[in-house]
Amino acid sequence: MMPAGSSEQPVAVRLTVNGRAHLLEVSAGETLLGMLRDRLGLTGSKEACVEGECGACTVLVDGGPAASCILAAGSMNGRTVHTVEGLAGAGELTSLQQAFVNHAAVQCGYCTPGVLIVLTALLAEVPQPTEDEVRRALAGNICRCTGYQQIVEAALDAATAVSS
């Protein structure tokens, strides 16, 4: 039997995910990514490196991009999380998502959720980013298919669409 207060004891976590409040009991080793995918059925964020290096699992935590594969689910109490599933409202694509479609910025799509999240955060902070700012924002997202050019063009196009 585990002693009281042991890190193995489940922890109750209240958080908001994509605008919906949740109360979950999480275990000590559970990650935010595991909680999102396994408990909430939000499978857009992908598991790849499990080291916070590739960006496939990136979500917004309190408005900032974070690698959900290395964040403890228990540390999310009182936090607000947005996943790729929460970007579009009422079935309409965001200007960034539409720009990805327009520029064919998706190939296999595995990295796309994390890329969209990072660029969403960038555009919220810097509505008219330069190409260099977009590329710097993408530095933590590995894409093995596209070469990034179409992704960068889509981000710049989305910035233009928002300012029009």
Side-chain angles (χ1 to χ4, degrees):
M1 177 160 239
M2 290 281 175
S6 167
S7 63
E8 296 299 318
Q9 297 292 325
V11 176
V13 174
R14 287 185 192 276
L15 75 160
T16 302
V17 180
N18 297 334
R20 294 185 61 204
H22 295 275
L23 173 60
L24 300 167
E25 196 170 269
V26 300
S27 62
E30 193 169 355
T31 64
L32 174 58
L33 179 62
M35 181 180 68
L36 292 170
R37 292 180 60 81
D38 301 337
R39 294 183 181 233
L40 300 180
L42 299 170
T43 58
S45 303
K46 304 301 183 208
E47 183 176 337
C49 72
V50 194
E51 296 177 352
E53 296 292 327
C54 73
C57 70
T58 305
V59 297
L60 296 176
V61 176
D62 296 334
S68 64
C69 71
I70 58 172
L71 287 176
S75 71
M76 293 295 109
N77 196 45
R79 311 294 289 273
T80 299
V81 176
H82 282 90
T83 68
V84 70
E85 291 92 342
L87 292 182
E92 301 227 0
L93 298 178
T94 66
S95 60
L96 179 61
Q97 290 171 316
Q98 187 60 56
F100 266 58
V101 172
N102 296 347
H103 288 271
V106 177
Q107 287 187 20
C108 86
Y110 203 81
C111 70
T112 304
V115 169
L116 285 169
I117 290 290
V118 164
L119 292 175
T120 295
L122 172 67
L123 293 174
E125 187 176 320
V126 183
Q128 293 294 309
T130 65
E131 181 175 337
D132 286 344
E133 288 171 318
V134 170
R135 289 186 181 280
R136 276 195 301 274
L138 291 170
N141 293 82
I142 297 172
C143 176
R144 291 181 170 88
C145 298
T146 66
Y148 299 94
Q149 188 57 40
Q150 291 154 300
I151 293 171
V152 171
E153 289 170 0
L156 295 172
D157 187 39
T160 302
V162 170
S163 68
S164 307

